Amino acid sequence: MRSIFSFILVLSIVAGCSSEDIILNEPTTTIEYKYLTHNQWIYAQMNRNYLWREDMPDSLDCDYGLTPPDFFKHLLSPKDKFSYLTNNSTYHPANAYNYGIAYQMYSDIKGNHAIQILYTTSEEAKSYGIRRGDFFQIVNKLPYSIILEKVLLDNNGAFVKKDCHEIELSRFPLSSNSTVIVDTIYHIDNKAIGYLCYTQYDKISDLYPPLKKFSDNQISDLILDLRYNPGGYVSTCRFLCNCIVPKEGYNQVFQQCSYNDILSDYYKKTTGEERTFTYFDDLTEMADNTLGTQMVSLNLRRIYILTSSHTASASEATIICLRPYMDVSIIGEPTVGKGVGSWTISDNEYKYALQPITMRYYNANGESTPDGGIIPDYFIPDGYFTREKDLGDTEEPLLHQAMQLICPNLFPTSMVCIKNQAEKQLLTPVGVPSFIIEYNQKHNRR
């Protein structure tokens, strides 16, 4: 419980009182005074909005002479893995870029580094014959391009040069890339099976063309590949789920959110409920919708979702929020475990913006994403051996498993789980995949 002093501090800030009106450890240096008012603002915002405000230190115990980033970290709960502080500036897509490829860097047994391609997003990369699973060493990074040299992994777990041919890839703004990597329909065994590889819950307009194609072909099953999707906008998540959910879900709860005691009391007084609720739209009664792009009704009974250890946030919400209404099978690796959400808190007077965790989401049954992640029904590691096949290839291990569940007589059981155990002895991942770095860069995460 916050002290009476904390309440006085918040009122003082809202009323615009000067720092001299607040009794604190008096700043002894110009640097400490420089950070004082900013840190007071940070504390006030966190004390009102932070999901775990009960875990914050008392205002009297805080060091207001810390830099704002350090002060912000000092307020965070041990339960918190996701809150962050950013610069108070409007993001513009031109500030973030990639080279038309997504990759994971590895270190071999000799300590040499090389990247492995996860997927390509530019025609330039495809024109060079760059394929998913290929290894390259980075020869040089230039201001507007990157130079790569292809290598192979030998049986001893070392990278060896394949040839001396170098490839130069141009730099592209992230805004030029669609979030849909592959959308395919397989006509197999008198079924129309849709496959959608989706990398970020961003522009809703990216989703309309493939969903419309799936609807026109009356697909019976959908395989949604979210292994390279770290999340994004809840509104885009709701749009996708609303297009997928069967009619029994229309007008039913899509998601409910819980908050700290202050916000719960506020919502109780204004809406009559401590939680907030969002609902699926009834697509049978809609010519248009409030999300800006016309929805498409797939009206499915089952869905197969492919995951990795980087599947997070809105991707996990898709799984959780569809479960009350349909059969959801998970194939791949355990997900990140981000069953919480946030909103940006900023003020033009201050240099930094806050992105604290402010709520936990639940589905219609009151279930949330476990902190340890969503455990797959069929565990298949997304290691470098699984990348020997292109996304969308029915022999690609995760997709193959989904096909085996849909058409068991035509797709034999995969042996990839056994094969992937050997890779632990060969290469060591270095850092996180490039698409995670780009996602953090896009959202200006520190």
Side-chain angles (χ1 to χ4, degrees), residues 62-287:
C62 294
D63 182 358
Y64 289 84
L66 294 172
T67 64
D70 287 338
F71 183 82
F72 178 79
K73 292 177 183 177
H74 177 67
L75 303 181
L76 299 182
S77 167
K79 306 182 188 80
D80 191 354
K81 299 184 293 183
F82 304 108
S83 294
Y84 63 96
L85 176 147
T86 75
N87 290 320
N88 186 9
S89 59
T90 302
Y91 165 74
H92 189 280
N95 296 332
Y97 60 86
N98 66 17
Y99 300 100
I101 55 176
Y103 57 84
Q104 170 68 59
M105 181 171 286
Y106 285 101
S107 175
D108 68 7
I109 60 172
K110 297 181 179 179
N112 297 315
H113 289 179
I115 62 173
Q116 187 183 36
I117 303 300
L118 304 178
Y119 56 85
T120 59
T121 58
S122 74
E123 292 302 320
E124 180 185 42
K126 294 174 184 177
S127 70
Y128 283 113
I130 295 177
R131 300 277 302 273
R132 182 171 186 266
D134 288 345
F135 287 101
F136 292 92
Q137 287 185 330
I138 299 176
V139 177
N140 196 8
K141 283 189 177 182
L142 304 174
Y144 297 101
S145 64
I146 188 172
I147 297 176
L148 305 176
E149 186 175 69
K150 193 166 186 178
V151 295
L152 297 176
L153 180 66
D154 67 18
N155 293 331
N156 297 318
F159 294 123
V160 294
K161 291 184 179 181
K162 181 180 180 181
D163 52 47
C164 297
H165 181 64
E166 294 181 350
I167 295 174
E168 183 173 356
L169 295 178
S170 304
R171 190 175 79 175
F172 297 92
L174 293 183
S175 59
S176 66
N177 297 322
S178 172
T179 54
V180 174
I181 301 300
V182 183
D183 61 285
T184 302
I185 297 175
Y186 306 93
H187 296 277
I188 301 173
D189 199 21
N190 296 319
K191 298 178 180 179
I193 304 167
Y195 170 74
L196 179 69
C197 183
Y198 187 47
T199 61
Q200 190 177 152
Y201 288 79
D202 198 350
K203 301 184 293 293
I204 289 176
S205 57
D206 284 353
L207 287 169
Y208 180 76
L211 294 178
K212 182 66 165 61
K213 181 171 72 173
F214 293 162
S215 177
D216 291 343
N217 283 269
Q218 299 181 328
I219 63 169
S220 58
D221 300 88
L222 175 62
I223 302 168
L224 180 60
D225 194 339
L226 300 178
R227 76 184 87 177
Y228 303 130
N229 194 316
Y233 298 121
V234 175
S235 57
T236 306
C237 174
R238 183 167 78 87
F239 175 89
L240 178 59
C241 290
N242 216 143
C243 293
I244 293 171
V245 74
K247 293 179 181 179
E248 289 78 4
Y250 293 172
N251 294 322
Q252 301 301 309
V253 171
F254 160 66
Q255 191 177 84
Q256 52 181 311
C257 301
S258 65
Y259 305 87
N260 66 28
D261 57 338
I262 290 179
L263 292 182
S264 294
D265 184 61
Y266 168 78
Y267 287 121
K268 178 71 172 179
K269 291 177 180 177
T270 56
T271 68
E273 296 279 355
E274 291 186 349
R275 294 187 176 189
T276 58
F277 296 81
T278 52
Y279 297 85
F280 287 111
D281 292 320
D282 186 345
L283 302 191
T284 63
E285 299 177 356
M286 298 178 66

Side-chain angles (χ1 to χ4, degrees), residues 433-444:
S434 64
F435 67 87
I436 297 293
I437 297 173
E438 292 161 7
Y439 182 82
N440 291 339
Q441 181 184 10
K442 175 177 178 178
H443 294 278
N444 200 21

